Amino acid sequence: MKTQAQLKAKLKQVEDFESRWGECTESRAMRKYCTDAKYRERVHQFNKASVNTIKHYMRYGNTI
């Protein structure tokens, strides 16, 4: 879990990036990650499910 200070620092990086290069898909996603707790929760759930799926495939000798 990220701390509030880490989220604020990342948000500052996003703002600096966008002021220099403009908004893009990745910067919008990172801004939402930093500002929306529900979005962060869904990202963590998705990542956990992805890891569990890969572990399942690796356990049975399947390769992706």
Side-chain angles (χ1 to χ4, degrees):
M1 179 70 53
K2 301 280 185 192
T3 66
Q4 286 300 101
Q6 289 172 319
L7 292 173
K8 286 181 182 180
K10 181 54 83 172
L11 191 56
K12 175 72 170 118
Q13 286 179 338
V14 170
E15 290 170 354
D16 293 342
F17 175 88
E18 287 179 343
S19 69
R20 184 171 182 188
W21 302 103
E23 186 180 39
C24 65
T25 303
E26 290 84 2
S27 67
R28 279 192 302 271
M30 187 54 68
R31 178 181 297 280
K32 189 163 187 173
Y33 183 88
C34 291
T35 58
D36 187 348
K38 194 69 166 172
Y39 183 79
R40 274 194 305 278
E41 181 181 330
R42 289 193 306 265
V43 167
H44 289 266
Q45 289 171 348
F46 175 80
N47 290 342
K48 185 176 180 182
S50 298
V51 167
N52 288 335
T53 299
I54 292 169
K55 283 181 183 178
H56 170 75
Y57 278 104
M58 299 301 279
R59 183 177 348 157
Y60 295 106
N62 299 333
T63 58
I64 297 176

